[in-house]
Coordinates of all heavy atoms in Angstrom, one line a residue:
M223 N 107.0 118.7 105.3 CA 107.6 117.9 104.3 C 107.6 116.5 104.6 O 107.9 116.1 105.7 CB 109.0 118.5 104.2 CG 109.7 117.9 102.8 SD 111.4 118.6 102.6 CE 111.0 120.4 102.1
S224 N 107.3 115.6 103.6 CA 107.2 114.2 104.0 C 108.6 113.7 104.1 O 109.5 114.2 103.7 CB 106.5 113.5 102.9 OG 107.3 113.5 101.6
S225 N 108.7 112.4 104.7 CA 110.0 111.9 104.8 C 110.6 111.5 103.6 O 111.9 111.5 103.5 CB 109.8 110.5 105.6 OG 109.0 109.6 104.8
R226 N 110.0 111.4 102.5 CA 110.6 111.2 101.2 C 111.4 112.4 100.7 O 112.4 112.2 100.0 CB 109.4 111.0 100.0 CG 109.9 110.8 98.7 CD 108.7 110.5 97.8 NE 109.2 110.4 96.4 CZ 109.4 109.3 95.7 NH1 109.3 108.1 96.3 NH2 109.7 109.4 94.4
Y227 N 111.0 113.6 101.2 CA 111.8 114.8 100.9 C 112.5 115.4 102.1 O 112.4 116.7 102.3 CB 110.9 115.9 100.3 CG 110.2 115.3 98.9 CD1 108.8 115.2 98.7 CD2 111.0 115.0 97.8 CE1 108.3 114.8 97.5 CE2 110.4 114.6 96.6 CZ 109.1 114.5 96.5 OH 108.6 114.1 95.4
S228 N 113.1 114.6 102.9 CA 113.7 115.1 104.0 C 115.1 114.5 104.1 O 115.4 113.6 103.6 CB 113.0 114.8 105.4 OG 112.9 113.4 105.5
G229 N 115.9 115.1 104.9 CA 117.4 114.7 105.0 C 118.4 115.4 104.1 O 118.2 116.6 103.9
N230 N 119.3 114.7 103.6 CA 120.4 115.1 102.7 C 119.8 115.9 101.6 O 118.9 115.4 100.9 CB 121.1 113.9 102.2 CG 122.4 114.3 101.5 OD1 122.3 115.1 100.5 ND2 123.5 113.7 101.8
Q231 N 120.3 117.1 101.3 CA 119.7 118.0 100.2 C 119.9 117.2 99.0 O 119.1 117.4 97.9 CB 120.2 119.3 100.4 CG 119.6 120.1 101.5 CD 119.8 121.6 101.4 OE1 120.5 122.0 100.7 NE2 119.2 122.3 102.4
A232 N 121.1 116.7 98.7 CA 121.5 116.1 97.4 C 120.4 115.0 97.1 O 119.9 114.8 96.0 CB 122.9 115.6 97.3
A233 N 120.1 114.2 98.1 CA 119.1 113.1 98.0 C 117.7 113.7 97.6 O 117.0 113.1 96.9 CB 119.0 112.3 99.3
V234 N 117.3 114.8 98.3 CA 116.2 115.4 98.0 C 116.0 115.9 96.5 O 115.0 115.6 95.9 CB 115.9 116.7 99.0 CG1 114.7 117.5 98.5 CG2 115.8 116.2 100.4
V235 N 117.1 116.6 96.1 CA 117.2 117.0 94.7 C 117.0 115.8 93.6 O 116.2 115.9 92.7 CB 118.5 117.7 94.4 CG1 118.7 118.1 92.9 CG2 118.4 119.1 95.1
I236 N 117.7 114.7 93.9 CA 117.7 113.5 93.1 C 116.3 113.0 93.0 O 115.7 112.6 92.0 CB 118.8 112.5 93.5 CG1 120.1 113.0 93.2 CG2 118.6 111.2 92.9 CD1 121.2 112.2 93.9
T237 N 115.7 112.9 94.1 CA 114.3 112.4 94.3 C 113.3 113.3 93.5 O 112.4 112.7 92.9 CB 113.9 112.1 95.8 OG1 114.9 111.3 96.4 CG2 112.5 111.6 95.9
I238 N 113.5 114.5 93.7 CA 112.5 115.5 93.1 C 112.6 115.3 91.6 O 111.6 115.3 90.8 CB 112.6 116.8 93.5 CG1 112.1 117.0 95.1 CG2 111.9 117.8 92.6 CD1 112.4 118.3 95.7
L239 N 113.9 115.3 91.1 CA 114.2 115.2 89.6 C 113.6 113.9 89.0 O 112.9 114.0 88.0 CB 115.6 115.3 89.4 CG 116.4 116.7 89.5 CD1 117.7 116.7 89.3 CD2 115.7 117.8 88.5
A240 N 113.8 112.8 89.8 CA 113.2 111.5 89.2 C 111.8 111.5 89.3 O 111.1 111.1 88.4 CB 113.8 110.4 90.2
D241 N 111.1 112.3 90.3 CA 109.6 112.3 90.3 C 109.1 113.0 89.3 O 108.1 112.8 88.5 CB 109.1 113.0 91.6 CG 109.4 112.1 92.9 OD1 109.6 110.7 92.8 OD2 109.2 112.5 94.0
V242 N 109.9 114.3 88.8 CA 109.4 115.1 87.7 C 109.4 114.3 86.5 O 108.5 114.4 85.5 CB 110.1 116.5 87.6 CG1 109.9 117.1 86.4 CG2 109.9 117.3 89.0
A243 N 110.6 113.6 86.2 CA 110.9 112.9 85.0 C 109.7 111.8 84.9 O 109.2 111.7 83.7 CB 112.2 112.3 84.9
A244 N 109.4 111.1 85.9 CA 108.5 110.1 85.9 C 107.0 110.6 85.6 O 106.2 110.0 85.0 CB 108.5 109.2 87.2
A245 N 106.8 111.8 86.3 CA 105.5 112.5 85.9 C 105.3 112.9 84.6 O 104.2 112.7 83.8 CB 105.4 113.7 86.8
I246 N 106.4 113.3 84.0 CA 106.3 113.8 82.4 C 106.2 112.5 81.6 O 105.3 112.5 80.6 CB 107.6 114.5 82.2 CG1 107.6 115.9 82.7 CG2 107.7 114.6 80.5 CD1 109.0 116.6 82.6
L247 N 106.8 111.5 82.0 CA 106.6 110.2 81.2 C 105.2 109.6 81.3 O 104.7 109.2 80.4 CB 107.7 109.2 81.5 CG 109.1 109.5 81.2 CD1 110.2 108.8 81.9 CD2 109.3 109.3 79.7
G248 N 104.7 109.8 82.6 CA 103.4 109.3 82.9 C 102.4 110.0 82.2 O 101.4 109.5 81.8
L249 N 102.7 111.4 82.2 CA 101.7 112.3 81.5 C 101.6 112.0 80.0 O 100.6 111.9 79.4 CB 101.9 113.7 81.8 CG 101.1 114.7 81.2 CD1 99.7 114.6 81.7 CD2 101.6 116.2 81.5
W250 N 102.8 111.8 79.4 CA 102.7 111.4 78.0 C 102.0 110.2 77.7 O 101.2 110.1 76.7 CB 104.1 111.3 77.3 CG 104.1 110.7 76.1 CD1 104.7 109.6 75.6 CD2 103.4 111.2 74.9 NE1 104.4 109.4 74.2 CE2 103.6 110.4 73.8 CE3 102.6 112.4 74.7 CZ2 103.0 110.6 72.6 CZ3 102.0 112.5 73.5 CH2 102.3 111.7 72.3
I251 N 102.1 109.2 78.6 CA 101.5 107.8 78.4 C 99.9 108.1 78.4 O 99.1 107.6 77.7 CB 101.9 106.8 79.5 CG1 103.3 106.4 79.2 CG2 100.9 105.5 79.5 CD1 104.0 105.6 80.4
L252 N 99.5 108.9 79.5 CA 98.1 109.3 79.6 C 97.7 109.9 78.5 O 96.5 109.6 78.0 CB 97.9 110.0 80.9 CG 96.5 110.3 81.3 CD1 95.7 109.1 81.5 CD2 96.5 111.2 82.5
L253 N 98.3 110.9 77.9 CA 97.8 111.8 76.8 C 97.8 110.8 75.6 O 96.8 111.0 74.8 CB 98.8 112.9 76.6 CG 98.7 114.1 77.6 CD1 100.0 115.0 77.4 CD2 97.5 114.7 77.6
Y254 N 98.6 110.0 75.3 CA 98.6 109.2 74.2 C 97.5 108.2 74.3 O 96.8 108.1 73.3 CB 99.9 108.4 74.1 CG 100.0 107.6 72.8 CD1 100.6 108.1 71.7 CD2 99.6 106.1 72.8 CE1 100.5 107.3 70.5 CE2 99.6 105.5 71.7 CZ 100.0 106.0 70.4 OH 100.1 105.3 69.4
V255 N 97.3 107.5 75.4 CA 96.2 106.5 75.5 C 94.9 107.2 75.3 O 93.9 106.7 74.8 CB 96.3 105.8 76.9 CG1 95.1 105.0 77.2 CG2 97.6 104.9 77.0
L256 N 94.6 108.5 75.9 CA 93.5 109.2 75.8 C 93.2 109.8 74.5 O 92.2 110.4 74.2 CB 93.3 110.2 76.9 CG 93.3 109.6 78.3 CD1 93.3 110.7 79.4 CD2 92.1 108.6 78.4
G257 N 94.2 109.8 73.6 CA 94.2 110.3 72.2 C 94.2 111.9 72.2 O 93.5 112.5 71.5
A258 N 95.1 112.4 73.1 CA 95.2 113.9 73.1 C 95.5 114.5 71.6 O 96.2 113.8 70.8 CB 96.2 114.4 74.0
N259 N 95.2 115.7 71.4 CA 95.4 116.3 70.2 C 96.9 116.6 70.1 O 97.5 117.5 70.8 CB 94.5 117.7 70.2 CG 95.0 118.4 68.9 OD1 95.6 118.1 68.0 ND2 94.4 119.6 68.9
R260 N 97.5 116.1 69.2 CA 99.0 116.2 69.0 C 99.4 117.5 68.4 O 100.6 117.9 68.4 CB 99.5 115.1 68.1 CG 99.4 113.6 68.9 CD 100.6 112.8 68.6 NE 100.2 111.5 69.2 CZ 100.7 110.4 68.6 NH1 101.3 110.5 67.6 NH2 100.3 109.2 69.1
G261 N 98.4 118.3 68.0 CA 98.8 119.6 67.4 C 98.7 120.6 68.6 O 99.2 121.7 68.4
N262 N 98.3 120.3 69.7 CA 98.2 121.2 70.9 C 99.6 121.3 71.4 O 100.5 120.5 71.6 CB 97.3 120.5 72.0 CG 97.2 121.4 73.2 OD1 98.2 121.3 74.1 ND2 96.2 122.2 73.3
E263 N 100.0 122.7 71.7 CA 101.4 122.9 72.1 C 101.6 122.2 73.5 O 102.9 121.8 73.6 CB 101.4 124.6 72.3 CG 101.5 125.2 71.1 CD 102.6 124.8 70.1 OE1 103.8 124.6 70.6 OE2 102.3 124.7 68.9
L264 N 100.8 122.0 74.4 CA 101.2 121.4 75.6 C 101.4 119.9 75.3 O 102.5 119.4 75.9 CB 100.1 121.5 76.6 CG 100.2 120.7 77.9 CD1 101.5 121.3 78.7 CD2 98.9 120.7 78.8
V265 N 100.6 119.3 74.6 CA 100.9 118.0 74.2 C 102.2 117.8 73.5 O 103.0 116.8 73.7 CB 99.7 117.3 73.3 CG1 100.0 116.0 72.8 CG2 98.4 117.5 74.1
K266 N 102.6 118.7 72.5 CA 103.8 118.6 71.9 C 105.0 118.7 72.8 O 105.9 118.0 72.8 CB 104.0 119.8 70.8 CG 103.2 119.7 69.6 CD 103.4 120.8 68.6 CE 102.4 121.0 67.5 NZ 102.7 122.1 66.8
F267 N 104.9 119.7 73.7 CA 105.9 119.8 74.8 C 106.1 118.5 75.5 O 107.2 118.2 75.8 CB 105.7 121.1 75.7 CG 106.5 121.1 76.9 CD1 107.8 121.7 76.6 CD2 106.2 120.8 78.1 CE1 108.7 121.8 77.8 CE2 107.1 120.9 79.2 CZ 108.4 121.4 79.0
V268 N 104.9 118.1 76.2 CA 105.1 116.8 76.9 C 105.7 115.6 76.1 O 106.6 114.9 76.6 CB 103.8 116.4 77.5 CG1 103.8 115.1 78.2 CG2 103.2 117.5 78.4
H269 N 105.3 115.6 74.8 CA 105.8 114.6 73.9 C 107.2 114.7 73.6 O 108.1 113.7 73.8 CB 105.0 114.4 72.5 CG 105.4 113.4 71.7 ND1 105.1 113.3 70.4 CD2 106.1 112.2 71.9 CE1 105.5 112.2 69.9 NE2 106.0 111.4 70.8
R270 N 107.8 115.8 73.3 CA 109.2 116.1 73.1 C 109.9 115.8 74.5 O 111.0 115.2 74.3 CB 109.3 117.5 72.8 CG 109.0 117.8 71.2 CD 109.6 119.1 70.8 NE 109.1 120.2 71.6 CZ 108.1 121.0 71.4 NH1 107.3 120.7 70.4 NH2 107.7 122.0 72.2
S271 N 109.5 116.3 75.6 CA 110.3 115.8 76.8 C 110.2 114.5 77.1 O 111.3 114.0 77.5 CB 109.5 116.8 78.0 OG 109.4 118.1 77.8
A272 N 109.1 113.8 77.0 CA 109.1 112.4 77.2 C 110.0 111.6 76.2 O 110.7 110.6 76.5 CB 107.7 111.8 77.1
D273 N 110.0 112.2 74.8 CA 111.0 111.3 74.0 C 112.4 111.6 74.4 O 113.2 110.7 74.3 CB 110.8 112.0 72.5 CG 109.6 111.4 71.7 OD1 109.1 110.3 72.2 OD2 109.4 111.9 70.7
W274 N 112.7 112.7 75.0 CA 114.0 113.0 75.4 C 114.4 112.2 76.6 O 115.5 111.6 76.5 CB 114.3 114.5 75.7 CG 115.6 114.9 76.1 CD1 116.8 115.0 75.2 CD2 116.2 114.9 77.4 NE1 117.9 115.3 75.9 CE2 117.6 115.2 77.2 CE3 115.6 114.9 78.7 CZ2 118.4 115.5 78.4 CZ3 116.5 115.1 79.8 CH2 117.8 115.4 79.6
L275 N 113.6 112.1 77.5 CA 113.8 111.4 78.7 C 113.8 109.8 78.5 O 114.5 109.1 79.1 CB 112.6 111.6 79.8 CG 112.7 113.0 80.5 CD1 111.3 113.2 81.1 CD2 113.9 113.0 81.4
A276 N 113.1 109.4 77.6 CA 112.9 107.9 77.2 C 113.8 107.6 76.0 O 113.5 106.6 75.4 CB 111.5 107.5 77.1
G277 N 114.8 108.4 75.7 CA 115.5 108.2 74.4 C 116.1 106.8 74.3 O 116.2 106.0 73.2
W278 N 116.6 106.3 75.5 CA 117.2 105.1 75.5 C 116.3 103.9 75.5 O 116.7 102.7 75.2 CB 118.2 105.0 76.8 CG 117.4 105.1 78.0 CD1 117.1 106.3 78.6 CD2 116.8 104.1 78.8 NE1 116.4 106.1 79.8 CE2 116.2 104.8 79.9 CE3 116.7 102.8 78.6 CZ2 115.5 104.0 80.9 CZ3 116.0 102.0 79.6 CH2 115.5 102.7 80.8
S279 N 114.9 104.1 75.9 CA 114.1 103.0 75.9 C 112.9 103.1 75.0 O 112.0 102.3 74.8 CB 113.5 102.9 77.4 OG 112.6 104.0 77.7
R280 N 112.9 104.2 74.2 CA 111.7 104.5 73.4 C 111.3 103.4 72.4 O 110.2 103.1 72.3 CB 112.0 105.9 72.6 CG 110.8 106.4 72.1 CD 110.8 107.8 71.6 NE 112.1 108.0 70.6 CZ 112.9 108.7 70.7 NH1 112.9 109.8 71.6 NH2 114.0 108.8 69.7
D281 N 112.2 102.8 71.7 CA 112.0 101.6 70.9 C 112.6 100.4 71.3 O 113.0 99.6 70.4 CB 112.4 102.1 69.4 CG 111.5 103.1 68.8 OD1 110.3 103.0 69.1 OD2 112.0 103.9 68.1
L282 N 112.8 100.2 72.6 CA 113.3 99.0 73.1 C 112.5 97.8 72.7 O 113.1 96.7 72.4 CB 113.5 99.2 74.5 CG 114.4 98.2 75.3 CD1 115.8 98.1 74.7 CD2 114.4 98.4 76.8
F283 N 111.2 97.8 73.0 CA 110.4 96.8 72.6 C 109.4 97.3 71.5 O 108.8 98.3 71.6 CB 109.4 96.4 73.8 CG 110.2 95.8 75.1 CD1 110.5 96.8 76.1 CD2 110.8 94.6 75.0 CE1 111.2 96.3 77.1 CE2 111.5 94.2 76.0 CZ 111.8 95.0 77.1
I284 N 109.4 96.5 70.4 CA 108.6 96.8 69.2 C 107.4 95.8 69.4 O 107.4 94.5 69.3 CB 109.3 96.4 67.9 CG1 110.6 97.1 67.8 CG2 108.4 96.7 66.7 CD1 110.4 98.7 67.9
L285 N 106.1 96.4 69.5 CA 104.9 95.7 69.6 C 104.0 96.1 68.6 O 104.0 97.3 68.3 CB 104.4 96.0 71.2 CG 105.3 95.6 72.2 CD1 104.9 96.1 73.6 CD2 105.5 94.0 72.4
D286 N 103.0 95.3 68.2 CA 101.9 95.6 67.3 C 100.9 96.7 67.9 O 100.5 97.4 67.1 CB 101.3 94.4 66.8 CG 102.2 93.4 65.9 OD1 103.1 94.0 65.4 OD2 101.9 92.3 66.0
T287 N 100.7 96.6 69.0 CA 99.6 97.5 69.7 C 100.3 98.8 70.1 O 101.2 98.8 71.1 CB 99.0 96.8 70.9 OG1 98.4 95.4 70.6 CG2 97.8 97.6 71.4
D288 N 99.9 99.8 69.6 CA 100.6 101.2 69.8 C 100.6 101.5 71.2 O 101.5 102.0 71.8 CB 100.0 102.3 68.8 CG 100.6 102.2 67.5 OD1 101.6 101.5 67.3 OD2 99.8 102.8 66.5
W289 N 99.3 101.5 71.8 CA 99.2 102.0 73.2 C 100.2 101.2 74.2 O 100.7 101.6 75.0 CB 97.8 102.0 73.6 CG 97.1 100.7 73.9 CD1 96.4 99.9 73.0 CD2 97.2 99.9 75.1 NE1 96.1 98.7 73.5 CE2 96.5 98.7 74.7 CE3 97.8 100.0 76.3 CZ2 96.4 97.8 75.7 CZ3 97.6 99.0 77.2 CH2 96.9 98.0 77.0
L290 N 100.2 99.8 73.9 CA 101.0 98.9 74.7 C 102.5 99.3 74.6 O 103.3 99.3 75.5 CB 100.7 97.4 74.4 CG 101.3 96.4 75.4 CD1 100.9 96.6 76.9 CD2 100.9 95.1 74.9
R291 N 103.0 99.5 73.3 CA 104.3 99.9 73.1 C 104.6 101.2 73.9 O 105.8 101.2 74.5 CB 104.5 100.0 71.5 CG 105.8 100.6 71.2 CD 106.0 100.7 69.6 NE 104.9 101.5 69.1 CZ 105.1 103.0 69.1 NH1 106.0 103.6 69.6 NH2 104.0 103.6 68.5
I292 N 103.9 102.2 73.8 CA 104.1 103.4 74.6 C 104.2 103.2 76.0 O 104.9 103.6 76.7 CB 103.0 104.5 74.2 CG1 103.0 104.8 72.7 CG2 103.1 105.7 75.1 CD1 104.2 105.5 72.3
L293 N 103.2 102.4 76.5 CA 103.1 102.1 77.9 C 104.4 101.4 78.4 O 105.0 101.9 79.4 CB 102.1 101.2 78.3 CG 101.6 100.8 79.7 CD1 101.5 102.0 80.7 CD2 100.7 99.8 79.8
I294 N 104.9 100.4 77.7 CA 106.0 99.6 78.2 C 107.3 100.4 77.9 O 108.1 100.5 78.9 CB 106.0 98.3 77.3 CG1 104.9 97.4 77.9 CG2 107.4 97.6 77.6 CD1 104.8 96.1 77.1
N295 N 107.5 101.1 76.8 CA 108.8 101.7 76.6 C 109.0 103.0 77.4 O 110.0 103.2 78.0 CB 109.0 102.0 75.1 CG 109.2 100.7 74.3 OD1 109.9 100.0 74.5 ND2 108.5 100.6 73.1
Y296 N 107.9 103.7 77.6 CA 108.0 105.0 78.3 C 107.9 104.6 79.8 O 108.4 105.3 80.5 CB 107.0 106.0 78.0 CG 107.2 106.6 76.7 CD1 107.1 106.0 75.3 CD2 108.0 107.9 76.5 CE1 107.4 106.6 74.1 CE2 108.3 108.4 75.2 CZ 107.9 107.8 74.0 OH 108.2 108.4 72.9
G297 N 107.1 103.8 80.1 CA 106.9 103.3 81.5 C 108.1 102.7 82.1 O 108.4 102.9 83.3
L298 N 108.8 102.0 81.2 CA 110.1 101.5 81.7 C 111.1 102.5 82.1 O 111.7 102.4 83.1 CB 110.7 100.6 80.6 CG 112.1 100.0 80.9 CD1 112.0 98.9 82.0 CD2 112.6 99.4 79.7
A299 N 111.2 103.5 81.2 CA 112.0 104.6 81.6 C 111.6 105.3 83.0 O 112.5 105.6 83.8 CB 112.0 105.7 80.5
A300 N 110.3 105.6 83.2 CA 109.9 106.1 84.4 C 110.2 105.2 85.7 O 110.8 105.7 86.7 CB 108.4 106.3 84.4
V301 N 110.1 104.0 85.6 CA 110.3 102.9 86.6 C 111.9 102.9 87.0 O 112.3 103.0 88.1 CB 109.8 101.6 86.2 CG1 110.4 100.5 87.3 CG2 108.3 101.5 86.3
V302 N 112.6 103.0 85.8 CA 114.1 102.9 86.1 C 114.6 104.2 86.7 O 115.4 104.2 87.7 CB 114.8 102.7 84.8 CG1 116.3 103.0 84.8 CG2 114.7 101.3 84.2
Y303 N 114.0 105.4 86.3 CA 114.4 106.6 87.0 C 114.1 106.7 88.4 O 114.8 107.1 89.2 CB 113.9 107.9 86.2 CG 114.5 108.1 84.9 CD1 113.6 108.5 83.8 CD2 115.8 108.1 84.6 CE1 114.0 108.8 82.5 CE2 116.3 108.2 83.4 CZ 115.5 108.6 82.4 OH 116.0 108.9 81.1
L304 N 112.8 106.2 88.7 CA 112.4 106.3 90.1 C 113.3 105.2 91.0 O 113.7 105.5 92.0 CB 111.0 105.9 90.2 CG 110.0 106.9 89.8 CD1 108.5 106.4 89.7 CD2 110.2 108.2 90.6
A305 N 113.5 104.0 90.4 CA 114.3 103.1 91.2 C 115.7 103.5 91.4 O 116.2 103.3 92.4 CB 114.3 101.7 90.4
L306 N 116.4 104.0 90.4 CA 117.7 104.6 90.5 C 117.7 105.7 91.6 O 118.6 105.7 92.3 CB 118.3 105.0 89.2 CG 118.8 103.9 88.2 CD1 119.2 104.5 86.8 CD2 119.8 103.0 88.8
A307 N 116.8 106.7 91.4 CA 116.9 107.7 92.4 C 116.6 107.3 93.7 O 117.2 107.8 94.7 CB 115.7 108.7 91.9
H308 N 115.8 106.2 93.9 CA 115.5 105.7 95.3 C 116.9 105.1 95.8 O 117.2 105.3 97.1 CB 114.4 104.7 95.2 CG 114.1 104.0 96.5 ND1 113.5 104.6 97.6 CD2 114.4 102.7 97.0 CE1 113.4 103.9 98.6 NE2 113.9 102.7 98.3
V309 N 117.6 104.3 95.0 CA 118.8 103.7 95.6 C 119.9 104.8 95.8 O 120.5 104.7 97.0 CB 119.3 102.7 94.5 CG1 120.7 102.3 94.8 CG2 118.3 101.5 94.3
V310 N 120.1 105.7 94.9 CA 121.1 106.7 95.2 C 120.7 107.6 96.3 O 121.6 107.9 97.2 CB 121.3 107.6 93.9 CG1 122.0 108.9 94.1 CG2 121.9 106.7 92.7
A311 N 119.4 108.1 96.4 CA 119.0 108.9 97.6 C 119.2 108.2 98.9 O 119.6 108.8 99.9 CB 117.7 109.3 97.3
G312 N 118.8 106.8 98.9 CA 119.0 106.1 100.1 C 120.4 106.0 100.6 O 120.7 106.1 101.7
R313 N 121.3 105.8 99.6 CA 122.7 105.7 100.0 C 123.3 107.1 100.5 O 124.1 107.1 101.4 CB 123.6 105.2 98.9 CG 123.4 103.9 98.4 CD 124.3 103.4 97.4 NE 124.1 102.0 97.0 CZ 124.6 101.0 97.6 NH1 125.5 101.2 98.5 NH2 124.3 99.7 97.1
L314 N 122.8 108.1 99.9 CA 123.3 109.6 100.3 C 122.7 109.8 101.7 O 123.3 110.5 102.5 CB 122.8 110.6 99.4 CG 123.4 110.7 98.0 CD1 122.6 111.6 97.0 CD2 124.9 111.1 98.1
R315 N 121.4 109.4 101.9 CA 120.9 109.7 103.4 C 121.7 108.9 104.5 O 121.7 109.2 105.6 CB 119.4 109.2 103.4 CG 118.5 110.3 102.6 CD 117.1 109.9 102.8 NE 116.3 110.9 102.0 CZ 115.6 110.6 100.9 NH1 115.7 109.4 100.4 NH2 115.0 111.4 100.2
R316 N 122.1 107.7 104.0 CA 123.0 106.9 105.1 C 124.3 107.4 105.3 O 124.9 107.1 106.2 CB 122.9 105.5 104.6 CG 121.7 104.6 104.9 CD 121.8 103.3 104.6 NE 122.0 102.8 103.2 CZ 121.2 102.6 102.4 NH1 119.8 102.7 102.6 NH2 121.5 102.3 101.2
S317 N 124.8 108.2 104.3 CA 126.3 108.7 104.6 C 126.3 109.9 105.3 O 125.5 110.6 105.6 CB 126.9 108.9 103.1 OG 126.1 109.7 102.4

């Protein structure tokens, strides 16, 4: 197990949850940019999950270019989740 997933178990859980959330958001960005079939069940699931995770940032920035809007709004959520998890997990590991 890498050092990222070692130590305090609560810190490990927080880190894994943030990684999963960021992966889902990143996957939706990739599927959108590559033009994945939105009728596909997997694509629908990833899109719904990403919408839920990025509910607070989904329309934070309104841009004319659709792919850039998706990248910034969903990418922002992924970065925030990872940053917050890193800070919280670091504090838990020190305590």
Side-chain angles (χ1 to χ4, degrees):
M223 192 179 287
S224 72
S225 63
R226 179 176 172 101
Y227 297 121
S228 62
N230 184 309
Q231 287 194 354
V234 171
V235 169
I236 289 168
T237 304
I238 290 172
L239 288 175
D241 288 348
V242 169
I246 290 169
L247 291 162
L249 181 58
W250 169 241
I251 293 168
L252 182 65
L253 290 171
Y254 185 87
V255 168
L256 293 176
N259 175 10
R260 297 219 188 144
N262 179 280
E263 290 302 316
L264 175 63
V265 176
K266 286 181 188 178
F267 173 76
V268 172
H269 186 195
R270 283 191 306 265
S271 300
D273 275 351
W274 184 80
L275 289 166
W278 59 271
S279 69
R280 195 169 52 226
D281 291 323
L282 190 60
F283 298 101
I284 306 297
L285 303 166
D286 292 333
T287 310
D288 287 341
W289 70 267
L290 187 58
R291 178 180 49 83
I292 295 295
L293 176 67
I294 290 175
N295 289 316
Y296 288 82
L298 174 65
V301 169
V302 167
Y303 289 139
L304 290 173
L306 286 174
H308 179 73
V309 168
V310 171
R313 290 187 185 267
L314 287 172
R315 284 186 183 109
R316 285 191 291 271
S317 61

